[in-house]
Amino acid sequence: MPTALGELDLLGMHLSGYGLPGSSAVAYGIACMELEAGDSALRSFCSVQGSLAMFAIWKWGSEEQKEKWLPGLAAGTEIGCFGLTEPDSGSDPASMKTRAVRDGDGWILNGSKMWITSGSLADVAVVWAATDDGVQGFLVESGMEGFSAPEMHGKLSLRASVTSELILEDVRVPDENRLPEVQSLKGPLSCLNEARYGIVWGVVGAARSCYEAALEYAMTREQFGAPIASFQLTQEKLVEMATKVQQGYLLALQLGRLKDEERITPAQVSMGKRANARMAREVSSTARTILGGNGVTLEYPVMRHMNNLESVYTYEGTDEIHTLSVGMALTGIPAFAPPAGDR
Ligand code: TGC
Ligand code: FAD
């Protein structure tokens, strides 16, 4: 699958140089939308590969790192992952415990990451760790001594996606594997902007797929001697869903245009991720009601999308975190943590 995505130029498609496609942000967004109309896991794989792992190297890496990794990651012959979240550090990555300590011409990494998409598949993990000089990114290669990536099992969402822990026990990483251009949380958060932008578009695809399944079902399923689409209550649901999908699409398109003009802000990306993930979650839920009992089966795509969207609503910044990010942009007041005296 990864090499097929590479052949279609879908991995890191909005990045340029190093043989990368350099497409517009809008074109990248449309690709995310179509991939997620299939399954959020497919878009997730592309997001993590292109917008998180490749973008981190492209934006913050050395020339040698870019030349070494970007062509293979773009082709899908190599797989990347992005390790920020930890067991005790999700919404608040500044509290991370993974630590890198200088040791001669290299670094010793200790800690663990959790919920890492493609972790067990990856040839290279972009691991963010606290150092004496701020948060830094390290390219941890599979097979490095002390590094393992066990797969997490039992997900009821994004079942087509591999999710893993990353365990780092005295892993020695040469300094040439440290991303040299950033020493702050700005490093990982800048990558999240890219992936969140892809989600703004992606979830429109999932919502559209649910709407289309519900429309087709409503036209053909008969009760009380008539297609259920002929009932006013069903039509109201269809109209609401179609409107929401269209609004989500227009929001994504406008953000894409702003991104292509290099005018988009992180708060706008937060607003888009929050609004469209909410939209898709609502549309999938309404679509499921139209399918009646059939809606809870795998025969139709709706409940699969609905379950996937629970992850999408949570990862890349939860709904609440994006609410607070937009709230801070509007008011200038950060409300992420209770005042010191109330803790
Ligand atoms: P704060 O003090 O505000 O900022 C620290 C530094 O980062 C800069 N910054 C950003 N830079 C670029 N883009 C952004 N969106 C940025 N937000 C902040 C900021 O300017 C500062 O730079 P500098 O130079 O002064 O050092 O940071 P904070 O610790 O107060 O955090 C703010 C908060 C809560 C918004 C942030 O921590 C956050 O976004 N939390 C959510 C964590 C999250 O989204 N994790 C996602 C993990 S990856 C994932 O889920 C992949 S899912 C798979 C898939 O995509 O399919
Ligand atoms: P917590 O941060 O513990 O949040 C729990 C609840 O508390 C949420 O509702 C949250 O919004 C709320 N909350 C937290 N802080 C506040 C606050 N200040 N105000 C109000 N409410 C608050 N991470 C990676 O680094 N790389 C990956 O590839 C990756 N892939 C993932 C794939 C999947 C399938 C999933 C489910 C997650 C993935 N993640 C990944 C992790 C994801 O980014 C985190 O789950 C997410 O950031 C939330 O962190 P948490 O799960 O620790 O929840």
Side-chain angles (χ1 to χ4, degrees):
M1 184 268 283
T3 48
L5 294 169
E7 279 164 24
L8 290 169
D9 275 348
L10 292 173
L11 302 174
M13 70 181 275
H14 63 310
L15 305 178
S16 54
Y18 311 94
L20 302 172
S23 78
S24 69
V26 169
Y28 172 55
I30 290 170
C32 288
M33 180 172 70
E34 295 306 330
L35 288 168
E36 196 152 351
D39 196 284
S40 301
L42 199 50
R43 193 271 310 142
S44 225
F45 179 87
C46 288
S47 290
V48 170
Q49 182 92 347
S51 289
L52 294 179
M54 290 176 72
F55 182 83
I57 296 169
W58 183 84
K59 177 79 179 166
W60 305 116
S62 65
E63 275 310 309
E64 294 73 26
Q65 290 165 351
K66 292 177 197 185
E67 278 161 20
K68 177 174 176 185
W69 289 107
L70 292 179
L73 290 167
T77 50
E78 278 163 325
I79 295 177
C81 71
F82 182 89
L84 180 63
T85 307
E86 300 183 357
D88 297 326
S89 179
S91 296
D92 179 20
S95 67
M96 71 173 67
K97 295 194 183 109
T98 298
R99 196 158 172 77
V101 177
R102 189 85 209 211
D103 179 53
D105 58 357
W107 296 78
I108 303 292
L109 268 67
N110 276 292
S112 64
K113 301 287 176 181
M114 197 172 176
W115 297 113
I116 307 306
T117 301
S118 304
S120 319
L121 305 173
D123 301 284
V124 61
V126 177
V127 171
W128 298 96
T131 74
D132 286 344
D133 299 319
V135 171
Q136 300 201 59
F138 294 87
L139 304 180
V140 178
E141 300 177 32
S142 65
M144 280 183 164
E145 207 175 326
F147 174 55
S148 58
E151 188 171 344
M152 295 168 65
H153 294 285
K155 297 200 308 294
L156 295 176
S157 172
L158 283 184
R159 287 170 64 83
S161 177
V162 170
T163 312
S164 314
E165 290 176 71
L166 304 183
I167 297 173
L168 301 132
E169 290 172 335
D170 288 331
V171 182
R172 191 162 204 291
V173 178
D175 191 51
E176 68 200 36
N177 280 33
R178 180 179 58 89
L179 300 178
E181 301 298 335
V182 74
Q183 285 160 12
S184 121
L185 210 50
K186 184 176 167 185
L189 294 182
S190 65
C191 304
L192 298 187
N193 279 337
E194 299 297 306
R196 290 167 177 171
Y197 167 76
I199 290 174
V200 175
W201 279 94
V203 291
V204 177
R208 190 192 69 203
S209 168
C210 292
Y211 160 72
E212 287 172 352
L215 177 63
E216 190 184 341
Y217 190 86
M219 298 296 285
T220 50
R221 169 77 177 172
E222 292 194 0
Q223 287 295 288
F224 298 96
I228 59 173
S230 65
F231 306 145
Q232 291 180 0
L233 289 176
T234 305
Q235 288 198 6
E236 198 262 350
K237 289 180 188 176
L238 292 170
V239 170
E240 273 300 308
M241 286 193 287
T243 307
K244 284 178 173 159
V245 171
Q246 205 57 35
Q247 285 173 335
Y249 172 77
L250 291 171
L251 173 58
L253 183 60
Q254 178 59 10
L255 290 181
R257 288 173 175 161
L258 289 173
K259 189 163 167 55
D260 277 327
E261 293 168 13
E262 296 182 12
R263 291 200 294 135
I264 196 167
T265 65
Q268 287 170 336
V269 175
S270 281
M271 187 182 272
K273 195 274 182 181
R274 175 183 183 273
N276 278 6
R278 277 186 176 210
M279 175 280 290
R281 202 172 176 231
E282 286 164 13
V283 166
S284 65
S285 170
T286 305
R288 204 218 55 75
T289 69
I290 291 181
L291 269 63
N294 281 320
V296 306
T297 70
L298 273 173
E299 198 178 333
Y300 296 88
V302 176
M303 194 141 174
R304 177 170 51 80
H305 282 305
M306 201 173 146
N307 281 4
N308 285 342
L309 288 164
E310 289 302 304
S311 288
V312 181
Y313 188 72
T314 289
Y315 68 30
E316 291 289 357
T318 64
D319 178 81
E320 291 81 4
I321 288 299
H322 289 297
T323 302
L324 295 171
S325 293
V326 177
M328 186 168 73
L330 296 179
T331 65
I333 306 169
F336 292 101
D342 296 350
R343 278 179 232 173

